[in-house]
Amino acid sequence: MTVLVLDNPEMLARAALLSGVMADSLGTEASRPHRTRFHYGFNKHVPDAGDAAIMRQHAAYLKNHPGVRVRIHGHTDNFGSPEYNRFLARLRANAVARLLIQEGVPQSAILMTTWGAERPLTRPEDHAANRRVELEYLTVDMAQAL
């Protein structure tokens, strides 16, 4: 017997529909977008169209779950001065926050942290992988404690 394990909520919902299970019975977590990391080109801070579409899905989830907060982590590669990298990381995080707010997410549901090149995802030489924004979901209690 072969077992297929799906950890992508969108694929899981499609599989449930194909097998006759209603997608609504999967619970609210199935509606939360799975992807929470978005990469950028060199010296860029505006999300591309595909990333913006997924960020809009995050906005819809946040609007439907008022007890959930999101922390936006802005990162850069190690090119440039530390001051410029923190500035660019802030531009990236702000662009994501503006998109979420434009989609109706209350500003109080958004926290931002900018790291510049201080916390690389991989080796510092892997520049493209380190130019990113990450979304971290928090409960209200966690957000207030931080």
Side-chain angles (χ1 to χ4, degrees):
M1 179 167 111
T2 303
V3 177
L4 176 63
V5 177
L6 299 174
D7 65 353
N8 182 318
E10 183 179 330
M11 290 176 66
L12 183 61
R14 277 194 227 141
L17 287 173
L18 290 174
S19 67
V21 177
M22 295 303 294
D24 291 339
S25 67
L26 296 175
T28 57
E29 284 303 307
S31 63
R32 184 175 131 194
H34 184 67
R35 187 166 157 227
T36 58
R37 186 178 298 140
F38 305 92
H39 292 275
Y40 291 80
F42 178 73
N43 210 27
K44 304 291 183 198
H45 67 275
V46 177
D48 65 25
D51 289 347
I54 295 171
M55 289 175 193
R56 286 185 186 92
Q57 293 173 6
H58 282 283
Y61 179 83
L62 289 164
K63 287 190 313 189
N64 291 328
H65 297 83
V68 177
R69 304 290 181 258
V70 67
R71 180 184 307 267
I72 302 168
H73 295 269
H75 300 273
T76 64
D77 59 26
N78 60 355
F79 285 124
S81 70
E83 295 81 19
Y84 179 74
N85 284 334
R86 281 190 295 275
F87 172 73
L88 182 57
R90 190 169 47 250
L91 287 176
R92 289 176 177 163
N94 282 335
V96 174
R98 274 193 312 274
L99 188 147
L100 294 176
I101 291 168
Q102 287 172 351
E103 292 296 316
V105 176
Q107 192 170 357
S108 62
I110 300 171
L111 302 165
M112 288 194 307
T113 305
T114 54
W115 300 102
E118 294 174 24
R119 294 194 176 183
L121 179 64
T122 64
R123 297 175 305 149
E125 301 80 36
D126 294 334
H127 302 289
N130 293 322
R131 295 187 297 256
R132 70 197 189 281
V133 164
E134 296 179 355
L135 302 180
E136 175 188 13
Y137 280 87
L138 308 167
T139 64
V140 174
D141 295 336
M142 287 174 61
Q144 289 175 348
L146 299 172

